[in-house]
Amino acid sequence: MKLSLNHITKSFGEKEVLRDFSFALAEGERVCLLGPSGGGKSTLLNIIAGLVKPDSGELISEWERIGYVFQEYRLLPWLTVEENLTAVTGCGKEQARELLKAVELDGDRAAYPDSLSGGMKQRVNIVRALACEPELLLLDEPFKGLDTALRERVIRNLDPYWQGRALVLVTHDVDEAAMMDCTKVISFG
Amino acid sequence: MKRFKTIAIKTAVAALWLVLWQLVCVAVNMELLVVSPLTVLRRLIELGQTADFWRFALGSLGRILVGFGLGCVVGTLLAVVCAACSFSRAFFSPAITVIKSTPVASFIILALVWLTGQYVPIFIAFLMVLPVVYANVYQGIGEVDQKLLEMAQVFGMSRRKKLTKIYMPSVMPYFMAASRTALGLAWKAGVAAEVIGVTKGSIGRQLYYSKIYLETADLFAWTAVVIVLSLLLEKLFVWAAGQLEKKKRIKNNESAKRN
């Protein structure tokens, strides 16, 4: 296993969001965490990404390059769309353009995030995670704000980029788990 | 139309103040105390035709700008060090408080004891700028969006990239606001230092001599020079900041069109 979480517990104040949670992920494996808000799914992603420390338990990860589609966009407002990919992930302009084209944003690469709609920002958020050529992808409600048709096109167009990568998808929508070919679904909450 | 209206209002207000000044001048009726706007303008034109006028004005401007620049650099570096290390913050905090609380006149007298004449206005301008830039930049660093820093951590951004792509753009508005305020402070305190220190080849020295020799027209004229230069500096600063922003936007748009 490339990633394993053993007996993880995490509380925020009085509220315990993860209790004795164990989980493992192999190379190329796709897992979906399904459940309502506040169940600890995002906290789990943050623990895997190294942003939150568990109160107890063990995290073992052999992956170094992680791509994270955050729930909030977290784009740098003073950089253009293209710069948000190249400056943050270190990818080349060519690669950034290919990715932006795949999510139908090739005409907006010189735009600043403030001038984009929520759905457009979300697509930048998605391709930024792919631009670093991650070994592991953490997707926290990645298709939020995209209509059904656009969501399907984005998933299809980015298919070559999803391939071969381990992936943890957090969603409320069971259809997304199927579209992303998740082989394991873990219910939360 | 709106711009025209704004200009018209500003011109009318300026004219009203000039009329008020003239009325005060007529009421006092003693040129030794209050000179008329026309007399000041005439004296300014006379002064402007001499080489010394420009030498004094540029001399003061140069010295104060050097002090301002030093204050900006040291204030920023100090803020970075203090944000990175709590001991540094505890160590420098009393010094900053002392600088902020001490009357500028005390520092000018002390500076006259410590330094030679030319350096006094530089030092005073520096002291005025330092706490303002320090406080604002420090606050700016503290308010950098933690979510962006987390994002940078996940994507493995280097320290240099974090500095140039996250910290610097986040702190820049704080730095610009501080610099704008500090520029006015540095200018006023720097000229005050020149007056008290009677700095050679400076506006302050001319103000001092105007007072000694009871040349009220000169006193008003040099004061007008100080005010005009202060306003020009501020306008120049705002314009330069706007140009930098515009240049960046144009560069990005051109790059997009080219590709």
Side-chain angles (χ1 to χ4, degrees), chain A residues 74 78 87 97 109-110 112, chain B residues 150 161 165 248 252 256 259:
Chain A
R74 304 198 190 192
W78 39 80
R97 281 166 201 177
R109 59 177 182 262
Y112 286 86
Chain B
E150 285 181 358
K161 269 196 172 173
K165 305 295 180 192
K248 188 175 183 294
N252 283 326
N259 298 304

Side-chain angles (χ1 to χ4, degrees), chain B residues 28-159:
Chain B
V28 174
N29 196 24
M30 197 187 279
E31 286 250 306
L32 191 66
L33 293 180
V34 185
V35 287
S36 72
L38 208 65
T39 310
V40 174
L41 184 68
R42 212 178 293 132
R43 187 64 190 126
L44 262 177
I45 293 168
E46 282 169 16
L47 286 171
Q49 287 166 350
T50 64
D52 276 350
F53 171 85
W54 298 102
R55 194 164 59 83
F56 298 154
L58 289 176
S60 292
L61 198 63
R63 272 185 291 270
I64 290 163
L65 283 180
V66 168
F68 169 77
L70 283 173
C72 285
V73 171
V74 176
T76 304
L77 290 176
L78 201 61
V80 171
V81 169
C82 289
C85 166
S86 56
F87 175 76
S88 304
R89 189 165 62 249
F91 182 76
F92 286 113
S93 183
I96 296 290
T97 309
V98 167
I99 294 173
K100 273 198 290 191
S101 319
T102 307
V104 67
S106 304
F107 273 126
I108 296 171
I109 308 288
L110 273 174
L112 282 169
V113 176
W114 294 337
L115 305 165
T116 53
Q118 294 291 319
Y119 296 107
V120 175
I122 298 177
F123 180 66
I124 294 303
F126 164 77
L127 278 187
M128 292 299 104
V129 174
L130 180 76
V132 179
V133 170
Y134 163 80
N136 268 41
V137 172
Y138 180 78
Q139 189 193 352
I141 295 171
E143 288 184 15
V144 170
D145 190 342
Q146 290 303 308
K147 288 188 182 300
L148 292 183
L149 293 176
E150 285 181 358
M151 182 275 293
Q153 184 190 328
V154 170
F155 287 105
M157 283 176 84
S158 64
R159 290 176 86 166

